């Protein structure tokens, strides 16, 4: 059995993330999508809100669960016995940071390997930052996130 974890900020989850989740869930026996709760950043959505949005979009995937963590990914991976860390690669600009992180994690948690899934071309441009920026100006994000997630994003900006 291979247990994978897909860590990230998911602030908010996008169709690009969902594509990676579906593909990773197809390859590995179990997949845990885990929200990084990073107090240094000030996210648009709280950890609980991000977890709930992910649970919503993953509800039809029986081998996927959603969790959150804080601190070092390597410690979280060791504690939970994950075999694989999933990361998505969009462009060459992602590569340098991702390579460094994968190598650092492998030093600290040698029992796990990082597996990169390359973005589906239709989502190569898509990031949570883009979604937040377009939504902040009332732009159309219906191509970037599922409708139920879009409603929550607009609502967040309405409340300010
Ligand atoms: P970060 O860890 O930089 O905050 P995110 O939480 O937004 O990034 O994303 C988590 C993971 O999903 C990262 O590996 C990122 O490269 C990947 N990812 C984000 N958007 C896409 C996309 N459109 N296609 C494929 N992978 C993506």
């Amino acid at each position: 059995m291979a247990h994978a974890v897909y860590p990230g900020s998911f602030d908010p989850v996008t169709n690009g993330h969902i594509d990676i989740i579906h593909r990773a869930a197809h390859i590995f026996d179990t997949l845990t999508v885990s929200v990084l709760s990073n107090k240094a950043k000030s996210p648009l959505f709280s950890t609980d809100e991000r977890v709930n949005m992910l649970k919503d979009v993953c509800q039809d995937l029986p081998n996927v669960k959603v969790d959150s963590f804080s601190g070092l990914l390597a410690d979280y991976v060791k504690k939970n016995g994950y075999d694989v860390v999933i990361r998505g690669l969009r462009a060459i600009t992602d590569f340098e940071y991702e390579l460094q992180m994968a190598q650092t994690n492998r030093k600290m948690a040698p029992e796990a390997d990082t597996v990169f899934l390359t973005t589906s071309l239709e989502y190569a441009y898509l990031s949570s930052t883009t979604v937040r920026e377009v939504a902040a100006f009332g732009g159309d994000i219906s191509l970037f996130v599922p409708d139920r997630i879009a409603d929550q994003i607009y609502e967040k900006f309405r409340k300010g």
Side-chain angles (χ1 to χ4, degrees), residues 31-108:
L31 175 69
T32 303
V33 185
S34 199
V35 173
L36 173 60
S37 176
N38 184 347
K39 296 215 167 59
K41 285 189 184 175
S42 44
L44 178 63
F45 289 98
S46 70
T47 302
D48 282 350
E49 287 171 327
R50 286 179 277 157
V51 164
N52 286 332
M53 285 191 283
L54 280 164
K55 282 186 175 162
D56 186 355
V57 301
C58 294
Q59 60 185 322
D60 296 332
L61 299 169
N63 63 336
V64 176
K65 65 179 188 149
V66 181
D67 190 19
S68 63
F69 73 104
S70 56
L72 285 178
L73 176 63
D75 291 339
Y76 174 70
V77 164
K78 276 187 179 181
K79 188 172 147 231
N80 292 284
Y82 295 120
D83 307 296
V84 172
V85 175
I86 301 291
R87 296 289 288 175
L89 283 179
R90 279 162 294 196
I92 200 76
T93 43
D94 281 341
F95 183 76
E96 201 168 329
Y97 169 74
E98 292 290 346
L99 180 68
Q100 198 177 32
M101 198 169 77
Q103 288 173 336
T104 307
N105 284 330
R106 184 132 172 77
K107 269 274 179 245
M108 297 172 76

Side-chain angles (χ1 to χ4, degrees), residues 6-12 14-17 19-20 23 36 41 86-90 94 97-98 101 116-120 122-129:
Y6 178 28
S9 305
F10 306 108
D11 186 35
T14 70
N15 289 339
H17 296 128
D19 174 58
I20 298 285
R23 289 159 57 201
L36 173 60
K41 285 189 184 175
I86 301 291
R87 296 289 288 175
L89 283 179
R90 279 162 294 196
D94 281 341
Y97 169 74
E98 292 290 346
M101 198 169 77
F116 295 105
L117 297 182
T118 53
T119 180
S120 296
E122 66 263 44
Y123 304 126
Y125 63 90
L126 190 52
S127 71
S128 298
T129 307

